[in-house]
């Protein structure tokens, strides 16, 4: 058996055994169906997961989730847990878009309410929410104000009139992770980030107006305020140029420190430092600053979204009922307690393109949902669907409390640009009743639905494994892209 040829060990479960000849310290576990697995085998996804299995201090297994695809060093759709005392922390294990994540708003509106005003609504959202590659946010921050954002996250936004404290109650970490330290952030990162707070950005980031098309778990849906036929809004963006620069800065720091700590790696893109080292602490504090930046960013976009709906429908915020359902990060590393070989251990859990999917009764789950489990938001492509799932106990056994973060790319952006035209994509979306407003041609073409895996297949794997189960399916009606 080749070192990148997984064997089937159960339904939707594949494994590559730890092989010391390849420096592997733990096995690779892949959660996928046959078709998803074949796609992973067509690029470097599995090889990258095998390389991750060789990082000093990794425990359990190197995990690839059903949306897994090739990334920088670490696969996207991957989870790696390191011993907090003896293991590593790696900027590449979080990725460039620190706290890229999703948040979901529900509403009292139905599709019949929205259809007649859909174009007007999407145009209003597009004009009031800055988007695009170098897009500037709508606020000007002084250096000391930026420091406040980096420390306070969502609470900074709420203090400045963007939403309410109820929003913070249903964010991962309440939208404000402690121990962020702006002093660990470079001037370059600050210069890139300061003008961008409150902007959507480009690439796969979006804001979608959606309709709840299916309910699979009535109790959980009811707890989240989700009703079939009603309108929701999904916001997907991260820490913009700020987080990208933090990652770049600390990848360089980590690469330079490898020899000093005697770390040898299968791939230099896996550059890491001991979690407890000075460099490790500095990266964590800078990364946490980027987490808070991203939560504040999504909070401001939420505020402007609500204002757009108020303008277009002439209703108050309370009549619209646009409550935040949940906000979850999918590029993050945090210290969590997990059972390994029957023992509780403190681990640095790297989720790169992976969503936390904690079961009921974990203290980290917001009080509102603690007895049912954590909501999980999985965006699909702009032509298919997104899903709400619910974290389940099996996630703790199989994936360090994690599941997929989206559909996962099937096709590179370059290939998508060659294969599709803007008019074709817009027409196929229009035929499905989906109105799109985008800043650039590439923003439409690169995100063509055909460039993505089947989100339903990804969700089915998660559901069948019992790591996060189906609550509701959301289909797009209006889309904004950078």
């Amino acid at each position: 058996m080749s070192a990148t040829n997984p064997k089937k060990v159960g339904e939707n479960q594949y494994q590559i055994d730890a092989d010391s000849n390849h420096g592997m310290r733990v096995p690779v576990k892949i959660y996928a169906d046959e078709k998803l697995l074949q796609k992973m085998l067509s690029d470097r996804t599995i090889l990258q997961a095998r390389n991750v299995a060789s990082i000093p201090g990794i425990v359990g297994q190197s995990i690839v989730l059903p949306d897994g695809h090739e990334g920088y060093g670490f696969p996207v759709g991957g989870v790696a847990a390191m011993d907090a005392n003896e293991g590593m922390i790696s900027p590449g294990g979080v990725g460039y878009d620190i706290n890229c994540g999703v948040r979901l708003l529900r509403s009292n509106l139905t599709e019949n309410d929205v259809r007649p005003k859909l174009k007007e609504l999407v145009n209003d959202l597009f004009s009031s929410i800055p988007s695009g590659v170098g897009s500037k946010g709508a606020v000007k921050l002084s250096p000391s104000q930026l420091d406040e954002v980096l420390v306070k996250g969502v609470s900074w936004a709420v203090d400045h009139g963007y939403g309410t404290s109820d929003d913070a109650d249903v964010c991962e970490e309440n939208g404000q992770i402690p121990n962020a330290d702006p002093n660990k952030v470079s001037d370059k990162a600050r210069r890139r980030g300061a003008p961008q707070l409150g902007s959507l950005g480009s690439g796969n980031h979006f804001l979608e107006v959606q309709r709840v098309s299916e309910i699979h778990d009535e109790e959980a849906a009811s707890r989240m305020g989700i009703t079939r036929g009603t309108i929701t809004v999904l916001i997907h963006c991260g820490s913009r140029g700020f987080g990208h620069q933090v990652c770049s800065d600390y990848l360089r720091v980590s690469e330079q420190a490898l020899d000093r700590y005697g770390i040898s790696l299968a791939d230099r893109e896996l550059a890491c430092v001991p979690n407890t080292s000075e460099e490790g602490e500095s990266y964590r504090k800078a990364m946490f600053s980027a987490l808070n930046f991203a939560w504040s960013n999504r909070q401001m976009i939420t505020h402007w979204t609500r204002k757009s709906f108020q303008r277009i429908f002439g209703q108050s915020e309370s009549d619209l009922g646009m409550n935040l359902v949940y906000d979850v990060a999918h590029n993050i590393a945090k210290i969590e307690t997990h059972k390994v070989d029957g023992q509780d251990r403190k681990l640095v859990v790297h989720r790169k393109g992976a969503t936390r999917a904690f079961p009921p009764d974990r203290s980290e789950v917001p009080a509102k949902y603690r007895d049912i489990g954590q909501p999980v938001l999985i965006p699909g492509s702009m032509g298919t669907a997104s899903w709400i799932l619910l974290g389940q106990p099996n996630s703790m056994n199989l994936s360090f409390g994690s599941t997929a973060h989206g559909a996962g790319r099937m096709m590179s952006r370059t290939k998508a640009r060659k294969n599709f035209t803007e008019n074709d994509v817009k027409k196929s979306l229009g035929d499905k009743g989906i109105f799109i407003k985008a800043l650039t041609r590439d923003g439409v073409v690169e995100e063509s639905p055909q460039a993505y895996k089947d989100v339903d297949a990804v969700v089915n794997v998660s559901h069948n494994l019992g790591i996060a189960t189906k609550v509701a399916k959301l289909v797009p009606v209006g889309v904004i892209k950078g």
Side-chain angles (χ1 to χ4, degrees):
M1 188 177 78
S2 102
T4 50
N5 189 18
K7 62 182 178 186
K8 189 164 188 174
V9 292
E11 189 61 32
N12 295 148
Q13 295 190 50
Y14 300 84
Q15 182 166 314
I16 298 169
D17 293 334
D19 181 346
S20 56
N21 292 326
H22 291 282
M24 294 172 70
R25 297 160 194 267
V26 296
V28 171
K29 273 305 258 303
I30 302 141
Y31 302 121
D33 63 22
E34 186 59 41
K35 191 174 174 187
L36 292 168
L37 178 69
Q38 289 311 312
K39 174 65 183 92
M40 293 172 191
L41 289 166
S42 73
D43 62 25
R44 296 173 65 240
T45 308
I46 308 299
L47 176 62
Q48 288 186 330
R50 195 190 78 192
N51 290 341
V52 169
S54 69
I55 295 175
I58 189 168
V59 301
Q61 57 254 352
S62 170
I63 295 163
V64 183
L65 295 161
D67 55 340
H69 60 91
E70 186 179 328
Y72 179 90
F74 288 68
V76 178
V79 179
M82 316 286 175
D83 184 274
N85 297 316
E86 290 148 30
M88 303 291 143
I89 188 166
S90 173
V94 174
Y96 279 99
D97 194 358
I98 298 167
N99 192 0
C100 186
V102 271
R103 64 165 46 195
L104 181 72
L105 298 164
R106 49 87 63 209
S107 82
N108 293 330
L109 297 168
T110 65
E111 185 175 14
N112 289 341
D113 297 326
V114 169
R115 272 283 162 208
K117 295 188 168 185
L118 179 62
K119 287 190 177 172
E120 195 185 345
L121 173 65
V122 170
N123 285 325
D124 194 273
L125 286 162
F126 187 79
S127 62
S128 56
I129 296 163
S131 64
V133 177
S135 52
K136 302 275 194 281
V139 291
K140 295 275 183 287
L141 295 176
S142 69
S144 62
Q145 286 172 319
L146 178 60
D147 283 354
E148 276 188 61
V149 171
L150 301 183
V151 170
K152 294 179 73 179
V154 162
S155 70
W156 178 89
V158 170
D159 290 347
H160 286 76
Y162 302 101
T164 70
S165 58
D166 289 352
D167 295 331
D169 292 343
V170 284
C171 288
E172 184 172 341
E173 297 292 337
N174 299 111
Q176 179 185 8
I177 196 163
N179 301 318
D181 184 353
N183 294 317
K184 302 301 182 186
V185 174
S186 71
D187 286 344
K188 189 171 182 184
R190 301 170 74 90
R191 282 196 305 274
R192 285 183 70 181
Q196 293 186 329
L197 187 68
S199 64
L200 202 55
S202 62
N204 64 353
H205 297 148
F206 63 76
L207 182 148
E208 267 184 24
V209 179
Q210 303 172 324
R211 168 177 58 86
V212 181
S213 69
E214 297 172 13
I215 300 280
H216 293 258
D217 181 334
E218 292 285 354
E219 186 200 349
S222 159
R223 186 72 68 87
M224 296 176 201
I226 298 294
T227 317
R228 192 163 179 268
T230 55
I231 292 295
T232 58
V233 178
L234 195 67
I235 297 164
H236 176 215
C237 62
S239 51
R240 306 286 283 107
F242 181 84
H244 193 283
Q245 192 61 47
V246 167
C247 180
S248 295
D249 291 340
Y250 280 96
L251 274 171
R252 199 161 53 251
V253 167
S254 302
E255 281 174 5
Q256 290 165 353
L258 289 175
D259 290 344
R260 184 158 66 258
Y261 291 111
I263 300 166
S264 67
L265 298 167
D267 179 353
R268 279 188 81 81
E269 290 184 359
L270 300 174
C272 53
V273 288
N275 180 52
T276 55
S277 67
E278 190 182 336
E279 295 89 345
E281 287 290 348
S282 294
Y283 168 64
R284 188 189 346 274
K285 289 172 176 176
M287 184 249 296
F288 283 4
S289 299
L291 295 180
N292 287 336
F293 182 99
W295 275 313
S296 186
N297 192 36
R298 290 197 286 275
Q299 183 63 30
M300 293 166 80
I301 292 169
T302 299
H303 171 75
W304 292 320
T305 299
R306 288 168 171 155
K307 293 295 175 211
S308 270
F309 272 78
Q310 282 175 289
R311 276 194 296 274
I312 300 303
F313 296 100
Q315 292 184 38
S316 71
E317 206 166 296
S318 58
D319 286 344
L320 289 165
M322 293 192 75
N323 302 329
L324 181 58
V325 175
Y326 196 58
D327 178 303
V328 68
H330 51 228
N331 284 349
I332 192 167
K334 288 195 292 193
I335 294 181
E336 298 170 357
T337 302
H338 290 267
K339 271 202 170 19
V340 181
D341 300 328
Q343 299 289 315
D344 278 349
R345 283 174 73 177
K346 281 205 169 353
L347 306 175
V348 186
V349 180
H350 296 71
R351 294 187 179 95
K352 182 181 182 179
T355 307
R356 197 180 72 181
F358 278 176
D361 302 324
R362 282 283 296 211
S363 61
E364 297 94 333
V365 177
K368 180 178 180 181
Y369 302 122
R370 200 164 295 156
D371 61 329
I372 60 166
Q374 180 209 301
V376 172
L377 308 173
I378 300 197
S381 76
M382 61 191 178
T384 54
S386 298
W387 282 87
I388 308 171
L389 308 183
L390 196 65
Q392 297 294 349
N394 223 21
S395 71
M396 306 311 284
N397 305 325
L398 295 181
S399 57
F400 295 107
S402 314
T403 192
H405 85 305
R409 284 197 83 88
M410 190 83 182
M411 185 186 290
S412 72
R413 291 191 159 88
T414 310
K415 192 170 176 190
R417 285 197 299 272
K418 282 182 187 154
N419 284 18
F420 308 114
T421 69
E422 182 178 18
N423 287 343
D424 288 345
V425 177
K426 283 186 168 175
K427 182 179 185 312
S428 77
L429 292 175
D431 291 346
K432 295 179 182 174
I434 301 165
F435 177 63
I436 178 169
K437 181 86 176 169
L439 196 64
T440 63
R441 169 195 168 273
D442 286 353
V444 176
V445 175
E446 291 175 3
E447 298 301 307
S448 166
Q450 294 96 316
Y452 283 86
K453 296 176 188 174
D454 177 1
V455 71
D456 293 352
V458 168
V459 164
N460 285 339
V461 171
S462 177
H463 184 86
N464 295 343
L465 289 168
I467 55 180
T469 52
K470 297 176 184 178
V471 174
K473 185 175 186 175
L474 316 170
V475 297
V477 292
V479 184
I480 293 174
K481 305 261 344 156

